[in-house]
Amino acid sequence: MSQQKDAIAPHGGELINRIASPEQRQEFLEKADFLPVVQLDERTLSDLEMIAIGGFSPLTGFMEQADYETVVSDMRLSNGLPWSVPITLSVTQEVATPLVEGNLIRLDSPSGKFVGVLKLTQKYTYDKEKEALNVYGTTEDKHPGVKVVYEQGPINLAGPVWLLERDDHPLFPQYQLDPAVSRALFWERGWKTIVGFQTRNPIHRAHEYIQKCALETVDGLFLHPLVGATKSDDIPADVRMRCYEILMSGYYPKDRVILAINPAAMRYAGPREAIFHALVRKNYGCTHFIVGRDHAGVGDYYGTYDAQHIFEEFEPSELGIIPMKFEHAFYCTLTKGMATSKTSPSKPDQRIHLSGTKVREMLRRGEMPPPEFSRPEVAAELVKAMQG
């Protein structure tokens, strides 16, 4: 498949591949016992994976200081290309001190498995409060993203990386479609316009409604739930995937939807993460991206539609991917269907919408959310999971 046939070019123009070739892998394995070791946490491990498979194109490794600083201050790489979230490998002073710039470093998974190699080009310190304030909009450590920044080491290690090999996902191997594969699938199906949907929650009727509104105007829907690290009170990935499978089997046209996992970790960076999520989906081959209410938000840190407004800070041609902005959807008892305030004349008391928190409380009590909120089969699956 030649690049010209793809519906959209990857961010920066080239789909990055940092998976070690068999020869490189052999060479790295032979050096394994002689290289200094840095252990990754769950988030940096998923970042390594996303860099290697091209999900974070044009990045080829963890960010050097020039890119880090322009991303934090201006939402751009040092060459001017839009990029809204720093991708860094932070370590303690103790770990950083013996490491020599120019040398290879062995990267181990949280369980101690040799998973990758970093060619160290830079070690640099950074301002945690500035990163917190600029990226997350707050310096409060109650914010889960800020908490991660404050708890990580004060030195960033930068340089290109190699992933030793691409392992099957332990839970969802059949849904593990890397960007090169998703692009090939879109091309095979003849899709010229593809809308991506990001989610870390089970799909409710409101999500289904906005996805189907989007699907009316494009060729295909790329349903792309995030299965990397999330908050401990988020619904587990395996439960969410079963909910998507239920919907796919009974409520969506099979030939117009592709379900795949996004191995990235959640950062809860609100508006900046909306841009980040859009650029990642562009790398997977999407031409459009759904941005709903409080995208990638947490608590009350961001305005309801801040994640939509931030797209106006870029020229459309710079991002390449087109945001599809949706209001909060609800079941309207007046018009007897799903709607938003743009399409329904109803008053607030004629609208059924529940917050994720309210739904989790109902599920824990073993109560089924109403059918206007969740498809009964999905609700039953959630009750079973929460009761278990």
Side-chain angles (χ1 to χ4, degrees):
M1 182 194 71
S2 72
Q3 194 62 59
Q4 287 68 45
K5 293 172 184 164
D6 286 1
I8 190 170
H11 197 47
E14 181 198 348
L15 193 63
I16 299 300
N17 174 5
R18 301 296 299 181
I19 300 169
S21 67
E23 298 75 32
Q24 285 172 323
R25 185 170 175 270
Q26 192 52 44
E27 190 187 323
F28 291 145
L29 287 172
E30 284 166 10
K31 293 178 179 170
D33 295 340
F34 309 100
L35 296 177
V37 177
V38 169
Q39 191 158 28
L40 304 178
D41 58 17
E42 195 181 353
R43 181 162 107 174
T44 44
L45 177 62
S46 65
D47 285 348
L48 167 67
E49 186 180 343
M50 288 296 282
I51 293 165
I53 64 175
F56 287 173
S57 298
L59 304 189
T60 56
F62 291 103
M63 286 181 176
E64 291 191 350
Q65 190 166 9
D67 281 336
Y68 169 81
E69 288 180 352
T70 52
V71 166
V72 168
S73 57
D74 306 322
M75 291 193 291
R76 292 176 184 278
L77 297 171
S78 56
N79 65 4
L81 198 68
W83 192 271
S84 54
V85 171
I87 304 296
T88 54
L89 173 55
S90 306
V91 296
T92 61
Q93 187 71 63
E94 189 186 5
V95 170
T97 302
L99 302 175
V100 179
E101 290 180 359
N103 285 1
L104 297 179
I105 292 167
R106 168 179 162 165
L107 303 175
D108 279 11
S109 72
S111 63
K113 184 184 173 201
F114 181 17
V115 289
V117 171
L118 167 75
K119 180 167 188 188
L120 185 65
T121 57
Q122 260 186 5
K123 300 188 281 190
Y124 61 95
T125 57
Y126 62 104
D127 183 335
K128 290 187 177 192
E129 288 216 334
K130 184 179 179 185
E131 180 176 332
L133 192 59
N134 285 21
V135 177
Y136 299 97
T138 177
T139 53
E140 285 183 21
D141 63 1
K142 288 202 302 288
H143 184 295
V146 172
K147 186 169 183 281
V148 170
V149 175
Y150 287 174
E151 287 176 354
Q152 68 195 18
I155 314 283
N156 284 342
L157 305 180
V161 294
W162 292 266
L163 183 68
L164 276 203
E165 60 186 305
R166 189 76 174 104
D167 291 334
D168 284 345
H169 192 280
L171 295 176
F172 319 111
Q174 72 276 38
Y175 295 118
Q176 184 175 320
L177 307 181
D178 292 348
V181 178
S182 57
R183 286 171 167 272
L185 274 178
F186 300 159
W187 179 70
E188 276 168 26
R189 293 192 178 197
W191 292 356
K192 301 279 192 298
T193 50
I194 304 100
V195 65
F197 184 80
Q198 148 70 30
T199 169
R200 68 174 200 263
N201 291 313
I203 287 194
H204 300 309
R205 293 286 301 273
H207 301 133
E208 184 186 331
Y209 172 74
I210 63 175
Q211 288 166 14
K212 287 180 174 174
C213 285
L215 199 45
E216 291 286 4
T217 64
V218 297
D219 298 333
L221 168 67
F222 189 51
L223 193 50
H224 205 210
L226 181 143
V227 298
T230 56
K231 298 199 307 324
S232 56
D233 62 344
D234 281 348
I235 303 256
D238 58 329
V239 178
R240 291 184 280 127
M241 289 301 285
R242 283 202 299 277
C243 294
Y244 304 137
E245 287 171 340
I246 289 166
L247 280 175
M248 293 271 293
S249 66
Y251 293 98
Y252 285 77
K254 284 191 175 54
D255 59 340
R256 297 197 59 218
V257 186
I258 291 173
L259 173 63
I261 54 170
N262 174 11
M266 193 69 200
R267 284 166 162 84
Y268 305 96
R272 279 204 181 216
E273 194 159 10
I275 296 286
F276 177 58
H277 283 161
L279 294 177
V280 167
R281 286 359 185 268
K282 175 187 178 183
N283 285 329
Y284 275 85
C286 296
T287 56
H288 294 68
F289 182 62
I290 291 171
V291 186
R293 182 187 66 104
D294 195 25
H295 184 103
V298 63
D300 298 317
Y301 287 104
Y302 312 110
T304 310
Y305 294 107
D306 284 359
Q308 297 183 353
H309 303 321
I310 196 170
F311 281 84
E312 289 147 30
E313 296 181 31
F314 298 92
E315 290 296 323
S317 60
E318 292 187 293
L319 294 178
I321 189 166
I322 300 164
M324 297 181 86
K325 302 171 183 179
F326 285 92
E327 300 271 326
H328 189 34
F330 48 80
Y331 184 87
C332 172
T333 57
L334 182 68
T335 59
K336 301 283 186 289
M338 298 303 295
T340 73
S341 54
K342 283 182 171 175
T343 56
S344 162
S346 58
K347 295 185 172 58
D349 62 351
Q350 296 170 306
R351 301 170 179 180
I352 297 174
H353 50 73
L354 303 172
S355 72
T357 312
K358 248 194 200 129
V359 172
R360 279 195 290 270
E361 284 166 9
M362 290 180 77
L363 297 171
R364 281 195 192 100
R365 293 196 298 268
E367 291 173 28
M368 291 272 279
E372 297 87 354
F373 175 80
S374 183
R375 297 290 189 187
E377 305 94 318
V378 170
E381 187 62 49
L382 291 172
V383 168
K384 190 172 83 182
M386 294 299 265
Q387 293 295 293

